[in-house]
Amino acid sequence: MGQMAVMVSESEPGDFRFSLLGAVDGPTGLLSFRPFASDQTAHSSEMEAWIAGASAVADYLVRPIARPKEPA
């Protein structure tokens, strides 16, 4: 995977989770990101979710997880 991003969202008040996003080429040639992994653990703060997301990126770089194939 070329480029990655981490997104943190608050699904409910005080319930923060991260998603790992992978870069994909959009139909217009613009760079877009698609989620390929989501956090299953709720965190009590944005910072906790960001740290967990950064750790997940580091873990992914060592052991890539299976993700759906990109459409042709």
Side-chain angles (χ1 to χ4, degrees), residues 15 17-18 37-43:
D15 182 9
R17 298 171 190 263
F18 72 83
S38 296
D39 195 4
Q40 301 299 313
T41 304
H43 302 279

Side-chain angles (χ1 to χ4, degrees), residues 26-50:
T28 59
L30 296 175
L31 181 63
S32 301
F33 287 88
R34 179 179 306 156
F36 68 88
S38 296
D39 195 4
Q40 301 299 313
T41 304
H43 302 279
S44 60
S45 72
E46 299 99 329
M47 185 59 71
E48 285 181 15
W50 278 111

Side-chain angles (χ1 to χ4, degrees), residues 53-72:
S55 296
V57 168
D59 188 50
Y60 175 83
L61 294 174
V62 174
R63 295 178 290 144
I65 58 177
R67 61 184 188 282
K69 298 218 183 233
E70 295 176 11

